[in-house]
Amino acid sequence: MKLDSLTEMQSEMMALQRRMLASMGAAVVEDFYDVIKRPCNSIQELEELCKRLEEDTTYKKKMILYLSSLGGTNTGDCIRRIMRKLETNQLWSMYSMKGRKGKRFVKDLAICRMIFKAQKRCDKNANSCEVEDSIRTSPW
């Protein structure tokens, strides 16, 4: 019985969230929560995701809306939630913000720009330095 009420409450919250997004001028789509099915596990998957984000503006908008809906208690929490949805820890460990220690650059990826945009939608008061610091210091 409790599970039924939780499921019903979750459905109501999702409907409320869709209405709120629609009121902000966002295109409400049926597959809003299916924008990304699972985190990327490989560099190839990440490159395909980045390519799709660069080529498909509708998909990019859906992704930003979805990631910004994850929210968080502060900038760092929001960034960590976004990053967990996008890539596995194993894949993130191959990247650094500026490509130090022989790692790949995060800053040059389309996904990085999207993380910044999603975070700005979550917290309009967050500045770029806070977001960059949160990405750089995330435990990956």
Side-chain angles (χ1 to χ4, degrees):
M1 186 150 133
K2 285 185 178 182
L3 182 59
D4 292 334
S5 66
L6 284 173
T7 304
E8 183 180 326
M9 192 181 309
Q10 182 183 24
S11 296
E12 289 173 13
M13 291 172 63
M14 288 171 58
L16 177 62
Q17 186 177 38
R18 286 188 180 106
R19 285 194 304 272
M20 288 173 53
L21 287 170
S23 71
M24 293 185 319
V28 178
V29 291
E30 292 303 316
D31 59 343
F32 181 72
Y33 293 98
D34 294 330
V35 173
I36 187 162
K37 305 244 187 274
R38 61 177 176 74
C40 296
N41 288 313
S42 68
I43 293 170
Q44 182 182 3
E45 286 180 10
L46 178 62
E47 288 173 352
E48 289 171 7
L49 175 62
C50 288
K51 184 177 179 183
R52 185 169 179 198
L53 289 168
E54 289 171 348
E55 294 174 353
D56 186 349
T57 56
T58 303
Y59 179 72
K60 183 178 178 179
K61 288 177 185 177
K62 289 178 193 178
M63 180 69 84
I64 291 170
L65 285 173
Y66 171 66
L67 293 175
S68 65
S69 74
L70 298 174
T73 56
N74 56 40
T75 301
D77 186 39
C78 183
I79 293 294
R80 281 186 291 280
R81 288 172 186 239
I82 290 171
M83 291 172 75
R84 271 188 238 125
K85 287 290 180 182
L86 294 173
E87 297 180 32
T88 61
N89 285 345
Q90 183 179 7
L91 185 57
W92 277 123
S93 69
M94 301 167 123
Y95 289 87
S96 73
M97 196 62 171
K98 297 182 180 177
R100 293 193 176 134
K101 298 182 183 178
K103 296 183 178 187
R104 297 171 178 267
F105 287 90
V106 170
K107 202 168 190 167
D108 295 341
L109 297 174
I111 205 163
C112 186
R113 293 185 295 277
M114 190 193 54
I115 291 171
F116 274 76
K117 289 179 182 180
Q119 170 56 31
K120 282 302 245 181
R121 282 187 74 94
C122 279
D123 181 4
K124 297 194 183 325
N125 296 324
N127 62 44
S128 296
C129 290
E130 284 180 299
V131 176
E132 190 173 317
D133 285 345
S134 295
I135 292 171
R136 192 175 64 246
T137 60
S138 288
W140 36 359

